[in-house]
Amino acid sequence: MPVVVSALLSVMVAPSALSAPSGAAVSMYELPLLAGHSSSSAQAMNDAGDVVGLSLDENEDGYLVRWGADGSLTRLQAVSGGSGGQAVKVVEDGTVAGFTATADGVRHAARWDASGALTRLEEPAGYVDGEAQDINDSHVAVGRLSTAARTRPVRWGPDGRATVLRLPPKAEGGVATGINKRGEIAGYAFVPGEKTRAVRWDTAGRVHDLGSLGGSYSEPAAINDRGTVIGRATDGAGEWKAVRAARGKKFEALPSQGIGARSVSVNNADVIVGNVKDHAVRWDGNVTTELAVLPGTGRVFVNGINDAGTGVGTSDERAVTWDPLGRVTALPLPAGIDTTQPLAINAKGSVAGDVGSSRSWPVRWRAVVWR
């Protein structure tokens, strides 16, 4: 039987519920569902406090929605005959980017305005599907377009028109994965003999190889507004390492990390957090700090960091934040909730994610915010 989570949470019923007094303790608020739905999942959050994600019905069919910082719920328009998709980012004016899927599962890159109206991003002749993977505040989106035989990195302008990006010599395809406020783009290319190769496109559209650590794989995770690209790469022994590349530079391994890097995030001050095997670490320049474990738990995983230097993630199944010194604080949970998936932390310190109860299987997740 599905767990009824709404009875356990502090429900968002009015805009006033979303604004805690300065210095007040953090509280958790449930994000509302579409009528007749039973679960939800957060996917992204902006600094204004808007959250985007999915509201799911009893059959687990998902419908894209945006939750406003005032507690409002807006359904995002679907492509004709479809319902689901993914929202990868929401920018400060409420514009959302991602993809929407047709009834037969074909993905199409999309953008939604603040009212939820859909704009299909251009697919030039020959391309049959695509995904937007990031968007900036100027409404420039990046992602990929595909035919039956190839995948190409693409940039969509504010008018929705597509520009297929250049590839390095010998590359057979690629994907654009991130864009900053200047319009610099990070992504990767498929190169024979090397499975993936991280690249950067400058504002003139020129492509720059970000190098490798001697292995066959390099992949970007993000590009910040300083132009720093962070990600992962394999060394000559095939071990994954966390890497960074300042504007105009190639990838270098982050210091004091060991092997087995799994994911990394960066803020606009070039502070990086990441996961290396069972540890979560923070890099500020060449200073490495291990993020603390919540008492009574054993493993931590960091998901992101805001520009103030506060990280967010989990310690075992508990949602936590870390201050700039790596000290850990548990986020509050109501009785009956013991499983969390925090997703993102914004500039104001608000956290978006999902919560559920392990006593019901499968877990019926609900999207929440902590403020």
Side-chain angles (χ1 to χ4, degrees):
M1 293 290 291
V3 62
V4 180
V5 180
S6 59
L8 304 175
L9 307 182
S10 300
V11 181
M12 281 185 179
V13 294
S16 60
L18 302 180
S19 301
S22 178
V26 173
S27 297
M28 188 181 77
Y29 302 95
E30 176 187 345
L31 297 171
L33 300 171
L34 293 173
H37 286 201
S38 57
S39 62
S40 56
S41 177
Q43 295 179 336
M45 178 174 59
N46 64 14
D47 287 340
D50 303 316
V51 179
V52 289
L54 292 170
S55 179
L56 297 97
D57 63 22
E58 287 290 344
N59 297 319
E60 294 297 302
D61 291 327
Y63 298 79
L64 283 170
V65 296
R66 183 179 60 252
W67 295 281
D70 60 356
S72 59
L73 173 64
T74 301
R75 180 173 171 180
L76 304 184
Q77 183 182 359
V79 68
S80 179
S83 62
Q86 184 175 9
V88 297
K89 188 171 182 180
V90 54
V91 296
E92 296 315 298
D93 67 358
T95 299
V96 178
F99 68 82
T100 183
T102 57
D104 58 0
V106 177
R107 298 177 174 185
H108 298 283
R111 188 178 66 218
W112 294 266
D113 66 17
S115 72
L118 168 69
T119 297
R120 279 268 303 273
L121 300 177
E122 183 187 20
E123 294 172 4
Y127 293 99
V128 296
D129 74 344
E131 301 177 17
Q133 299 205 359
D134 199 8
I135 188 171
N136 64 17
D137 284 334
S138 299
H139 297 174
V140 179
V142 296
R144 61 94 185 162
L145 287 169
S146 298
T147 67
R150 63 177 181 171
T151 298
R152 294 294 301 270
V154 64
R155 170 192 183 277
W156 290 278
D159 59 359
R161 298 291 299 275
T163 300
V164 177
L165 298 171
R166 299 175 186 172
L167 291 171
K170 300 182 180 180
E172 296 178 340
V175 180
T177 58
I179 184 170
N180 65 14
K181 68 179 182 181
R182 289 167 52 95
E184 298 166 312
I185 299 167
Y188 57 90
F190 309 117
V191 180
E194 296 190 39
K195 302 298 184 182
T196 57
R197 189 77 168 188
V199 296
R200 177 208 311 269
W201 289 272
D202 63 27
T203 55
R206 296 174 295 232
V207 62
H208 305 272
D209 186 341
L210 292 179
S212 73
L213 300 182
S216 297
Y217 298 88
S218 62
E219 57 187 36
I223 180 169
N224 69 9
D225 287 341
R226 291 187 177 188
T228 300
V229 179
I230 53 98
R232 302 189 307 156
T234 53
D235 61 18
E239 300 289 353
W240 285 102
K241 298 285 187 71
V243 293
R244 67 182 165 206
R247 182 182 291 124
K249 304 292 184 180
K250 292 185 180 293
F251 273 155
E252 61 175 1
L254 293 168
S256 306
Q257 63 172 291
I259 59 175
R262 290 183 287 166
S263 63
V264 285
S265 303
V266 64
N267 67 13
N268 287 315
D270 278 352
V271 180
I272 300 167
V273 291
N275 301 285
V276 182
K277 285 195 171 179
D278 294 334
H279 301 275
V281 293
R282 168 193 171 100
W283 293 274
D284 191 346
N286 289 323
V287 177
T288 304
T289 302
E290 184 159 341
L291 301 182
V293 177
L294 197 66
T297 66
R299 301 175 65 180
V300 294
F301 192 92
V302 60
N303 290 335
I305 185 171
N306 67 10
D307 287 347
T310 302
V312 67
T314 53
S315 191
D316 282 352
E317 300 298 320
R318 290 295 307 274
V320 299
T321 59
W322 291 276
D323 70 13
L325 298 178
R327 296 174 298 201
V328 64
T329 300
L331 293 172
L333 292 174
I337 298 299
D338 59 5
T339 301
T340 63
Q341 294 179 343
L343 171 75
I345 184 167
N346 70 10
K348 298 177 181 178
S350 296
V351 174
D354 303 333
V355 302
S357 170
S358 63
R359 293 194 294 271
S360 174
W361 189 259
V363 175
R364 190 59 63 94
W365 296 98
R366 292 298 300 269
V368 301
V369 293
W370 286 271
R371 317 196 147 151

